[in-house]
Amino acid sequence: MKLKTVAIAAAALALAVGMTACGGAASTAASSTASSTASSAAASSEAASSEAASSEAEATSAEYTVYNTTGSKVTELYLYDAGSEDKGENLAGEGLADGESIVITRDVEADKQADVVYVLEFTTEDGNTQSFDTLHYEVAPISLKSVDAAAGATAIAFEAPQK
């Protein structure tokens, strides 16, 4: 929409310049009309930019689809603010069986979303606890890994499991 408005403003401006180059009283009237059309298009473009900026500032939800790909039941699952002592409620509830998934959403004011850092922590039924402590405010699939698979860089992967 913004690109369309800018294109209209550019076309109107080109028309105004072209009419002015022709000279004469008739072209002056046409030039005035084209100039006011260009001004209107520019005002529309500015309004569209302002509208886009305000919609970007609107709060959006963070959504994490967490897949258990550990090979065992996840008995505890927490998503909490980095640095917080309180982990909140156990999101795994009665447990998250291998192959199951859960969607976790969070809502934060738009102007604070860039500063949010979460910790995603989980424990499997065999007592292994792992965490990922630099999760940002976003929409992302997350696959929990087993201890053996997590021997690499992280205990999670930002992908949905392959079917």
Side-chain angles (χ1 to χ4, degrees), residues 45-120:
S45 176
E46 189 174 320
S49 294
S50 178
E51 181 181 324
S54 69
S55 69
E56 288 174 8
E58 291 177 16
T60 57
S61 294
E63 182 177 283
Y64 311 96
T65 304
V66 179
Y67 300 91
N68 179 3
T69 61
T70 63
S72 61
K73 184 177 186 178
V74 170
T75 56
E76 296 179 39
L77 177 65
Y78 300 98
L79 180 67
Y80 56 94
D81 291 327
S84 175
E85 296 287 324
D86 182 17
K87 294 180 184 181
E89 74 173 284
N90 178 2
L91 301 171
E94 298 289 317
L96 189 62
D98 186 49
E100 289 186 339
S101 65
I102 183 173
V103 176
I104 304 169
T105 57
R106 292 289 187 262
D107 292 308
V108 174
E109 294 174 20
D111 60 337
K112 296 179 182 168
Q113 291 174 2
D115 300 326
V116 171
V117 178
Y118 292 122
V119 174
L120 179 69

